[in-house]
Structures are given as structure tokens and as C-alpha cells.
């Protein structure tokens, strides 16, 4: 009986470790993708670092705090992760980027209606999500 209890407890610990490492790997991949945006202006940094902060909050909170400590990008990420709110400037930048993406996609796929409609639908849902976020408290 004791062996069975030990075996079940061990399984729970192993599962917890796998989940923790899955979050950590997702965070590392997201952080790396976000870091590309520091050098490539058209690549989004904030979106990937939000995912990284959320993943690190579940696997290694010290790494999430490191992201929050970045001077320009950390406070908005912390605000979004903790409250779901976006600043006015953040919303404007996100919607502007989506508008630019829509223009490029429209130009690239104007003769292919299926990929065009799929891409524009995804951008439309993204824009709707951004517009429905509450305003950050420091923005009021």
C-alpha cells in the first residue's frame, strides 16, 4: 500500500515538473521571438513578451520580474498581465500596426480571396480584442 502511495505522489511531482518546464519553454521561445523585435522594427516585441511574462509567472516568477523591470516595455506588460488594461498609446500602436499589416496583406493577396479573407478576419478579431480592453489606470 505504501509503495502505491509513493508511486502516485511521484507521478504528481513528475507531472508538475513537466507542466512547469512546458511553461518555461514557452516563455523562452516567446521571449526569443520578442527579442527579434528589438532589432527588426516591423516585428512585435510586446505581444511575445506578454506571453513570456505569463508563462514565466507560472514557471519562474523571477524571470517575469526581469521582464517587468525593463524600463520602456516592462510597466505596460505588467499592467496588461495583472489587469488586462492597455494604454491609449499602446492601443493606437497596436491598431496602427494591424492597419499596416492589413494594407500589406491586401496588396499581397488581392487576387487570392481565401487567404485574404482569413488573414483579414484574424486581424479584425485582433483589433476587436485590442479595442475592447479597458484603459490603463495611469492613462485616465
Amino acid at each position: 500500500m505504501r509503495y502505491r502511495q509513493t508511486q502516485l505522489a511521484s507521478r504528481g511531482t513528475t507531472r508538475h515538473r513537466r507542466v512547469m518546464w512546458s511553461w518555461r519553454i514557452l516563455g523562452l521561445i516567446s521571449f526569443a521571438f520578442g527579442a527579434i523585435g528589438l532589432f527588426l522594427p516591423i516585428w512585435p516585441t510586446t505581444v511575445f513578451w506578454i506571453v513570456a511574462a505569463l508563462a514565466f509567472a507560472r514557471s519562474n516568477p523571477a524571470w517575469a520580474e526581469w521582464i517587468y523591470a525593463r524600463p520602456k516595455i516592462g510597466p505596460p506588460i505588467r499592467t496588461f498581465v495583472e489587469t488586462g488594461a492597455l494604454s491609449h498609446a499602446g492601443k493606437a500602436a497596436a491598431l496602427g500596426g494591424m492597419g499596416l499589416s492589413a494594407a500589406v496583406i491586401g496588396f499581397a493577396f488581392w487576387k487570392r480571396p481565401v487567404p485574404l479573407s482569413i488573414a483579414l478576419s484574424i486581424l479584425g478579431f485582433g483589433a476587436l480584442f485590442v479595442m475592447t480592453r479597458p484603459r490603463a489606470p495611469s492613462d485616465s
Side-chain angles (χ1 to χ4, degrees):
M1 182 69 165
R2 214 157 228 268
Y3 172 75
R4 180 81 174 138
Q5 288 173 340
T6 306
Q7 189 179 23
L8 289 175
S10 174
R11 257 193 228 153
T13 303
T14 303
R15 184 177 183 283
H16 175 72
R17 265 194 212 126
R18 280 191 207 135
V19 169
M20 184 204 55
W21 275 102
S22 297
W23 281 116
R24 193 171 288 172
I25 289 168
L26 175 65
L28 289 169
I29 291 168
S30 299
F31 184 81
F33 279 145
I36 292 169
L38 297 174
F39 306 102
L40 189 62
I42 59 170
W43 191 266
T45 298
T46 309
V47 172
F48 289 112
W49 281 14
I50 287 172
V51 172
L54 288 167
F56 290 151
R58 288 167 176 78
S59 64
N60 190 339
W63 291 0
E65 288 299 324
W66 185 87
I67 292 174
Y68 299 152
R70 300 304 94 209
K72 298 272 188 211
I73 201 167
I77 290 174
R78 179 187 292 273
T79 301
F80 183 79
V81 168
E82 292 176 355
T83 66
L86 293 171
S87 69
H88 181 69
K91 283 184 180 187
L95 293 171
M98 287 183 213
L100 181 61
S101 295
V104 170
I105 288 168
F107 180 75
F109 293 111
W110 70 279
K111 286 188 176 182
R112 299 180 65 200
V114 172
L116 177 64
S117 61
I118 291 170
L120 292 179
S121 296
I122 292 169
L123 281 172
F125 284 120
L128 184 63
F129 177 80
V130 168
M131 289 187 295
T132 58
R133 297 300 92 206
R135 201 176 242 182
S138 62
D139 214 24
S140 299

